[in-house]
Amino acid sequence: MSLGDVAPSFALESDEGQVVHLHDFRGRSVVLFFYPGDFTSVCTKEAEHFRDSIDAFSAKGAVVLGVSKDPVESHRKFKKEHKLPFTLLSDLTGKVHRKYRVAGSLGGLLKGRKTFVIDKEGIIVHIFESALNWKMHVSEALAHC
């Protein structure tokens, strides 16, 4: 997965139980952030940081989508408890993680945390990967929307 590539299509179930396709957002910028799991300390901080920055993303016409391998029910609870104003997608099989080459590091000790900015035409215009620097995922995405 490289800059300038067409973002791989996907169909994933959302926290609301609806199937979401990437092409549903054609004509809008998409921030697609992959995170290891609901209710973990770093992932919660990252999701809340996206939440607290949602007005800035909206002002740029961007939609934010979070993706993890957690089930829909976990996403529902996580979204409700932390008042997240964006859609969470469940990739139980890891198929979309593989398409986007989201993997862990340090021999699997650190799970995948990777953010993509996809432009209005579906082209990847920015990729940021850092398992530990969760704050940078938001600032990097905002700078490239």
Side-chain angles (χ1 to χ4, degrees):
M1 199 60 38
S2 301
L3 296 179
D5 287 351
V6 173
S9 63
F10 60 77
L12 291 173
E13 189 173 0
S14 76
D15 55 88
E16 296 178 354
Q18 299 171 339
V19 175
V20 172
H21 300 85
L22 180 60
H23 67 257
D24 295 340
F25 303 99
R26 190 58 55 102
R28 294 184 71 188
S29 295
V30 174
V31 175
L32 188 64
F33 78 97
F34 290 83
Y35 65 100
D38 298 335
F39 297 105
T40 61
S41 63
V42 174
C43 294
T44 298
K45 289 176 188 174
E46 180 184 23
E48 289 175 340
H49 197 45
F50 272 106
R51 177 199 66 203
D52 296 344
S53 302
I54 200 68
D55 289 342
F57 285 108
S58 295
K60 291 183 172 221
V63 62
V64 174
L65 302 172
V67 182
S68 83
K69 295 179 182 177
D70 289 316
V72 169
E73 188 55 37
S74 176
H75 282 339
R76 278 189 193 116
K77 291 175 184 173
F78 186 57
K79 183 174 180 173
K80 182 178 181 182
E81 184 170 321
H82 297 283
K83 298 177 178 62
L84 305 178
F86 48 82
T87 300
L88 299 177
L89 302 172
S90 179
D91 184 24
L92 284 174
T93 66
K95 183 178 179 180
V96 177
H97 279 70
R98 288 187 296 278
K99 279 184 172 185
Y100 280 81
R101 297 187 186 137
V102 177
S105 56
L106 295 177
L109 291 176
L110 297 176
K111 304 224 188 259
R113 184 180 313 282
K114 197 171 189 177
T115 298
F116 295 84
V117 178
I118 303 164
D119 73 9
K120 296 174 182 181
E121 287 77 41
I123 305 299
I124 297 171
V125 295
H126 188 67
I127 302 169
F128 183 74
E129 183 171 20
S130 174
L132 299 176
N133 196 344
W134 54 270
K135 280 187 177 182
M136 289 294 294
H137 286 265
V138 173
S139 59
E140 286 285 318
L142 273 170
H144 293 88
C145 283

